């Protein structure tokens, strides 16, 4: 009676990736390029912030690649929610804007890495492997800029009021949207204008966005 040949070792399971990107062409290109890596599989693609957590709960990815600026939510808020609801999923922020304020907020939200989109795909694939191995991946120059810039000077409520002031909203509109008095809204706007060293709320909103504080 001949002995049976030993079973071959099973191939390791590929890294399961969730992509959140609102630009269809960019999302498709990333999925295609990452799918060409032998050890990676894109298991979910979403285009809006409010779709991220649901997709992660359904597909249980190992790594979520999240853009920041998305319709109906953003990647930073989703990263914080993923940390609570899908703690096994590592988050890698992939954005067009390498702003120190965004990096600081991403790290506070529990992201394991932060990359800008103009890097080579080999760097992205390497970053996915590194965050899955427990490393934190951030471009050194951006990390240094974030440290020198310091935290946002704006309070959470000042940020809320600035966001609500977009698109020509009046003080009355902001007050109604945030359930505040008009005098309180004016005080928050005045504080935000002072802290951003700008002349009016439109400039304050623009500067806060530029710094990545919103």
């Amino acid at each position: 009676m001949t002995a049976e040949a030993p079973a071959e070792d099973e191939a390791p399971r590929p890294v399961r990736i969730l992509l959140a990107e609102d630009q269809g062409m960019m999302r498709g290109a990333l999925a295609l390029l990452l799918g060409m890596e032998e050890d990676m599989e894109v298991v979910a693609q979403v285009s809006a912030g409010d779709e991220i957590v649901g997709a992660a709960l359904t597909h249980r990815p190992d790594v979520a690649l999240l853009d920041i600026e998305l319709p109906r939510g953003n990647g930073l808020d989703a990263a914080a929610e993923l940390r609570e609801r899908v703690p096994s999923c590592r988050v890698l922020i992939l954005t067009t804007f390498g702003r120190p304020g965004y990096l600081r907020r991403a790290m506070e939200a529990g992201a394991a890495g932060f990359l800008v989109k103009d890097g080579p795909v080999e760097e992205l694939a390497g970053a996915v492997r590194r965050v899955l191995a427990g490393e934190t991946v951030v471009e050194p120059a951006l990390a240094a800029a974030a440290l020198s810039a310091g935290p946002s000077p704006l309070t959470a409520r000042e940020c809320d009021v600035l966001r609500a002031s977009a698109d020509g909203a009046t003080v009355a509109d902001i007050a109604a949207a945030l359930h505040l008095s008009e005098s309180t809204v004016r005080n928050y706007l005045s504080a935000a204008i002072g802290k951003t060293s700008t002349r009016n709320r439109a400039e304050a909103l623009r500067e806060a966005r530029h710094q990545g504080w919103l």
Side-chain angles (χ1 to χ4, degrees), residues 3-204:
E4 293 184 2
E8 294 183 3
D9 292 336
E10 293 185 3
R13 181 175 69 85
V15 179
R16 296 168 60 81
I17 299 172
L18 180 151
L19 279 177
E21 165 63 55
D22 63 327
Q23 297 181 24
M25 187 175 294
M26 172 66 76
R27 187 173 64 252
L30 286 171
L32 178 63
L33 291 170
L34 289 171
M36 294 173 67
E37 300 289 323
E38 292 185 357
D39 59 341
M40 296 183 186
E41 177 185 7
V42 177
V43 297
Q45 301 180 45
V46 301
S47 60
D50 60 0
E51 299 173 348
I52 293 171
V53 174
L57 288 169
T58 298
H59 298 281
R60 296 290 170 175
D62 301 306
V63 177
L65 293 179
L66 310 181
D67 195 0
I68 293 178
E69 298 184 354
L70 295 164
R72 305 195 308 276
N74 64 71
L76 299 176
D77 291 341
E81 192 171 355
L82 286 174
R83 178 175 57 184
E84 297 296 323
R85 301 187 64 186
V86 194
S88 62
C89 178
R90 302 279 281 173
V91 173
L92 181 58
I93 298 294
L94 184 63
T95 181
T96 303
F97 305 105
R99 296 170 179 166
Y102 278 164
L103 171 58
R104 184 178 289 273
R105 289 168 61 198
M107 296 298 103
E108 290 172 353
F114 191 103
L115 296 176
V116 292
K117 292 179 182 177
D118 59 1
V121 69
E122 294 81 7
E123 180 180 326
L124 176 58
V128 168
R129 297 183 182 100
R130 288 171 62 192
V131 298
L132 192 60
E135 296 182 43
T136 298
V137 181
V138 179
E139 182 183 340
L142 183 57
L147 287 174
S148 63
S152 168
L154 301 173
T155 66
R157 210 48 167 154
E158 288 163 359
C159 288
D160 290 341
V161 169
L162 276 182
R163 289 190 192 96
S165 73
D167 302 322
T170 65
V171 169
D173 293 334
I174 300 169
L178 299 179
H179 306 291
L180 299 171
S181 69
E182 293 186 20
S183 62
T184 299
V185 169
R186 291 191 182 93
N187 288 339
Y188 281 134
L189 288 173
S190 178
I193 291 167
K195 290 178 180 180
T196 54
S197 301
T198 52
R199 296 173 298 179
N200 54 55
R201 63 179 183 169
E203 289 185 3

